[in-house]
Amino acid sequence: EAKKNGRGRYEVFAGDMDDLLLRKRKVESELRKALDGDGGIKLAYQPVFAADGRRILGAEALIRWGHEVHGALPAAQFIAIAEERGLIGELGKWALSEACRFAARTELPWIAVNISPMQLRDIGFAEQVAAILKETGLAPSRLQLETTESVLLEHNDTIGAVIAALRQSGVRIVLDDFGTGYSSLSYLRRQAIDKLKIDRSFVRLLDEDESARAIARTLIDLARTLRVEVTAEGVETDAQKALLVGMGCHQMQGYLLSPPLEPGQLLALPGVSSADQERSAVRA
Ligand code: C2E
Ligand code: MG
Ligand code: MG
Ligand code: MG
């Protein structure tokens, strides 16, 4: 039986090894069923705001699995199982199509979709993305793909070629959770990327810890010097926001501004829904 943690969420990785294997297998088969179309998998959208805290710059798609029996399973957990069990290609393709289809009917400047490193190891990935963009009618410049820095450490020819092809087509590449990996910084020079996201672990400590502040400031300066954009993730307090703005970070994401939202909730925010714009155009 799956254990629930303090917040009543389903914990796949708690308990002993036999339990763990059984639970993973159960999650795998249920995930397959969900992907076969019995539903249950959805996307939430968390807006990214300009430093003024009002203007929406874009939104990040975050996968949600409202598991019938066990309640919501944390994304990081079932993504890890999907990667391990060879389901991530299918799951990732579903998320990408769904997010692009949604974004195409909004006024959002861009939509960001998380991509597993495993997807980037597939030489056909850039073509898959192009096909999805064509099918959904979303302009490539409106798609950002977020991936973690471990990918760029591999010095893998396929990954390099896939990233280059994606950027060539106009899709933007974003380094997620920046600062948490074991990377040397030299790949920032070698590998072309468009944006980095400062990991929540630094943002969380900003108001109390001088070294977290120093790291955040350094990353923001680095981004500016290399002319890549920078977003802070996990902004929860006004103090954190003020410090980040003072350091020159102008894109923020976090509970202070908005949690991940249902599609309908995001569409209700100003400037997101195209129908909204049509209405105000008629009124004007
Ligand atoms: P991430 O891409 O770094 O996403 C940010 C996570 O932080 C999300 O958790 C989001 O709900 C949470 N978050 C946002 N603002 C705050 C805040 O102010 N405070 C705190 N404490 N948390 C905040 P979530 O949705 O559980 O996703 C976890 C991870 O799962 C994501 O981290 C991403 O790596 C992965 N993931 C989510 N959706 C997908 C997907 O479609 N494909 C792949 N490959 N990975 C995904
Ligand atoms: Mg992300
Ligand atoms: Mg992140
Ligand atoms: Mg993160």
Side-chain angles (χ1 to χ4, degrees):
E1 232 333 80
K3 297 197 174 53
K4 286 196 165 185
N5 70 15
R7 283 171 303 182
R9 285 176 119 185
Y10 173 54
E11 270 296 339
V12 197
F13 296 127
D16 64 37
M17 279 306 284
D18 289 345
D19 264 23
L20 182 66
L21 271 176
L22 270 174
R23 280 204 299 275
K24 279 190 181 174
R25 231 172 262 155
K26 191 145 182 290
V27 170
E28 178 193 353
S29 75
E30 284 167 356
L31 204 48
R32 279 187 200 282
K33 272 191 268 165
L35 278 169
D36 280 346
D38 85 341
I41 303 186
K42 292 185 297 195
L43 293 180
Y45 296 93
Q46 187 177 32
V48 176
F49 288 85
D52 67 14
R54 283 186 297 271
R55 194 161 51 94
I56 293 176
L57 301 173
E60 175 178 9
L62 293 160
I63 203 157
R64 292 289 175 267
W65 188 18
H67 198 284
E68 267 173 49
V69 186
H70 306 294
L73 190 62
Q77 291 193 9
F78 68 84
I79 297 266
I81 294 173
E83 285 174 336
E84 205 179 296
R85 299 290 172 161
L87 283 171
I88 193 65
E90 210 184 323
L91 190 62
K93 190 175 174 187
W94 176 84
L96 196 58
S97 309
E98 180 75 12
C100 291
R101 189 171 305 113
F102 173 75
R105 64 185 186 88
T106 72
E107 293 294 317
L108 284 171
W110 47 260
I111 188 83
V113 182
N114 291 284
I115 295 298
S116 160
M118 294 180 86
Q119 292 173 272
L120 286 174
R121 283 188 209 116
D122 172 1
I123 191 68
F125 183 65
E127 272 172 38
Q128 184 189 112
V129 171
I132 288 172
L133 289 170
K134 195 164 171 225
E135 189 190 309
T136 58
L138 188 74
S141 61
R142 292 179 69 200
L143 179 63
Q144 301 189 356
L145 298 179
E146 297 194 2
T147 193
T148 50
E149 48 187 318
S150 62
V151 160
L152 303 182
L153 280 175
E154 284 183 27
H155 303 300
N156 171 313
D157 287 347
T158 304
I159 291 175
V162 167
I163 288 180
L166 287 165
R167 294 188 77 236
Q168 185 64 39
S169 77
V171 172
R172 310 258 152 83
I173 304 295
V174 179
L175 274 191
D176 206 350
D177 302 333
F178 190 78
T180 55
Y182 302 92
S183 50
S184 86
L185 292 172
S186 64
Y187 69 79
L188 265 181
R189 176 178 55 80
R190 284 195 313 273
Q191 293 271 359
I193 57 142
D194 303 286
K195 181 192 283 194
L196 45 96
K197 292 183 82 166
I198 299 181
D199 192 64
R200 184 164 86 223
S201 56
F202 301 111
V203 174
R204 189 163 52 85
L205 296 172
L206 273 184
D207 19 14
E208 26 185 289
D209 183 326
E210 173 53 36
S211 50
R213 254 191 319 271
I215 290 170
R217 194 179 299 118
T218 304
L219 296 181
I220 292 163
D221 288 347
L222 181 68
R224 189 187 300 123
T225 306
L226 296 174
R227 294 195 178 79
V228 307
E229 290 181 46
V230 59
T231 301
E233 64 175 26
V235 180
E236 294 184 355
T237 68
D238 283 312
Q240 290 164 354
K241 178 169 166 263
L243 283 164
L244 288 160
V245 172
M247 292 172 186
C249 178
H250 300 297
Q251 296 188 20
M252 323 256 161
Q253 195 177 10
Y255 296 161
L256 175 69
L257 300 148
S258 170
L261 302 171
E262 305 247 342
Q265 295 175 300
L266 181 69
L267 286 169
L269 296 179
V272 176
S273 159
S274 46
D276 208 49
Q277 302 235 324
E278 280 155 29
R279 269 198 303 276
S280 47
V282 169
R283 248 184 269 124

